[in-house]
Amino acid sequence: MFDSPLALAQAHETRDKLMASHSDLAEEGAIQIVIIKTTGDKIQSQPLADIGGKGLFTKEIDEALINGDIDIAVHSMKDVPTYLPEKTILPCNLPREDVRDAFISLSAASLADLPAGSIIGTASLRRKSQILHRYPSLSVEENFRGNVQTRLRKLNEGVVKATLLALAGLKRLNMTENVTSILPLDDMLPAVAQGAIGIACRSNDDKMVNYLASLNHEETRLAVACERAFLETLDGSCRTPIAGYARKDENGDCIFKGLVASPDGRRVLETSRKGPYAFDDMIAMGKDAGKELLSQAGPGFFDR
């Protein structure tokens, strides 16, 4: 895991679940948490897309796993590239937290209440494009990076008028008192795998595979797989505004919604799918939705 309060909270959640499920792991010293600083954490001054995109938050952790320095790796699933490194597998997702985005401001109750020209801080092109699509009079400060605490400090200092953060992270940090309002999914579709924690291990480590099997939440694993199939089909990078969300409806079926946008928010393309809540069907839905939006977007769409 890497060195941020949220990463630490996620590692502790994983440790507590392992200790509760396996008596041998509940003994003193049976589990050790190792903090690994990743490139994504070290370089805060540039947009992620300019320094290499998603794998920046997992590369050093993956290397430690492959080298045997650690036995399992705890990831925020939305930071995990669609291709896993050789010799590693990701067999476990913990139960998913709330997927929605939180609006945080000291001066406005919602995005709609912000005066024209107000600056919103976010490092996410997904958030930027959806904000500008609905509220073209607002401005977005793109390189608004740092952990949750850093972003809230910048907001308090008046660098921006508002920011959006994943509600899941605020809940895991017990910091929901900072939330001004929660954005409905119709206004802000979440990032692929938002709110989901994934745990990776070496593919030949049967002992760890067995430990992790007991923690896996299958409904979450399938939803994340569907969304990642959509992302992979679109070849999503940090330069591409992409959102996707799969959930189980009241009848037990899978409902998937996907979105791509031009970075300036002028064009937003959306699609949805419905089908059985089963792995193969959900992978097919994600891929099919991705192909549809790729063909709708046409060449040059993401360059705007």
Side-chain angles (χ1 to χ4, degrees):
M1 53 144 298
F2 63 83
D3 180 16
S4 83
L6 181 56
L8 209 50
Q10 294 181 170
H12 284 144
E13 183 179 335
T14 303
R15 181 192 64 187
D16 294 348
K17 282 180 165 28
L18 282 168
M19 289 170 71
S21 303
H22 303 279
S23 56
D24 56 324
L25 295 180
E27 293 168 18
E28 185 76 30
I31 298 175
Q32 181 189 357
I33 290 176
V34 179
I35 292 173
I36 297 170
K37 201 133 178 104
T38 68
T39 307
D41 298 307
K42 291 173 192 167
I43 305 174
Q44 291 288 336
S45 57
Q46 294 168 267
L48 289 175
D50 293 350
I51 52 174
K54 276 197 171 191
L56 294 169
F57 286 113
T58 55
K59 181 172 168 282
E60 285 85 353
I61 301 171
D62 291 333
E63 287 169 358
L65 185 61
I66 293 163
N67 294 339
D69 301 329
I70 58 174
D71 296 308
I72 64 170
V74 180
H75 295 299
S76 291
M77 279 306 299
K78 69 179 179 143
D79 293 334
V80 177
T82 48
Y83 295 97
L84 295 177
E86 274 186 63
K87 302 179 184 170
T88 72
I89 54 171
L90 211 158
C92 172
N93 286 123
L94 299 185
R96 195 172 197 172
E97 188 44 275
D98 198 313
V99 302
R100 293 173 296 173
D101 280 317
F103 173 80
I104 304 174
S105 175
L106 305 178
S107 60
S110 66
L111 282 168
D113 291 342
L114 285 168
S118 296
I119 298 171
I120 302 168
T122 176
S124 160
L125 279 180
R126 169 190 67 86
R127 290 179 179 131
K128 175 192 170 183
S129 60
Q130 290 186 78
I131 290 167
L132 293 179
H133 183 65
R134 282 192 167 72
Y135 305 101
S137 67
L138 299 177
S139 296
V140 175
E141 161 57 53
E142 273 186 53
N143 195 31
F144 195 74
R145 292 189 52 217
N147 61 32
V148 170
Q149 289 80 355
T150 302
R151 295 185 204 196
L152 291 176
R153 191 193 75 239
K154 288 181 183 175
L155 177 69
N156 288 326
E157 290 169 355
V159 176
V160 295
K161 285 289 185 195
T163 187
L164 303 186
L165 293 171
L167 184 57
L170 294 167
K171 284 189 166 189
R172 291 192 174 111
L173 290 166
N174 294 315
M175 291 177 66
T176 50
E177 74 276 4
N178 293 284
V179 175
T180 307
S181 58
I182 298 170
L183 278 74
L185 292 170
D186 289 341
D187 287 356
M188 182 63 63
L189 203 62
V192 162
Q194 185 154 308
I197 294 173
I199 311 174
C201 63
R202 289 180 293 279
S203 47
N204 62 356
D205 192 340
D206 293 341
K207 186 177 180 183
M208 291 303 144
V209 170
N210 287 335
Y211 280 143
L212 296 182
S214 66
L215 301 194
N216 180 54
H217 187 252
E218 190 65 0
E219 182 179 326
T220 298
R221 190 182 77 87
L222 296 189
V224 167
C226 174
E227 293 165 22
R228 281 166 63 81
F230 171 71
L231 182 66
E232 186 179 352
T233 304
L234 288 163
D235 193 26
S237 74
C238 283
R239 291 188 183 278
T240 316
I242 296 172
Y245 178 43
R247 65 176 178 86
K248 187 179 275 191
D249 71 4
E250 57 280 0
N251 301 317
D253 289 323
C254 173
I255 304 284
F256 173 77
K257 286 187 174 180
L259 173 155
V260 296
S262 58
D264 61 12
R266 287 185 186 173
R267 283 188 71 199
V268 171
L269 306 176
E270 298 176 84
T271 189
S272 60
R273 295 287 184 281
K274 182 176 179 177
Y277 208 96
F279 185 81
D280 290 343
D281 297 274
M282 289 167 71
I283 293 287
M285 274 192 274
K287 286 182 175 175
D288 191 56
K291 285 175 186 166
E292 182 198 334
L293 292 189
L294 264 184
S295 65
Q296 273 189 39
F301 177 81
F302 297 112
D303 302 331
R304 293 166 201 276

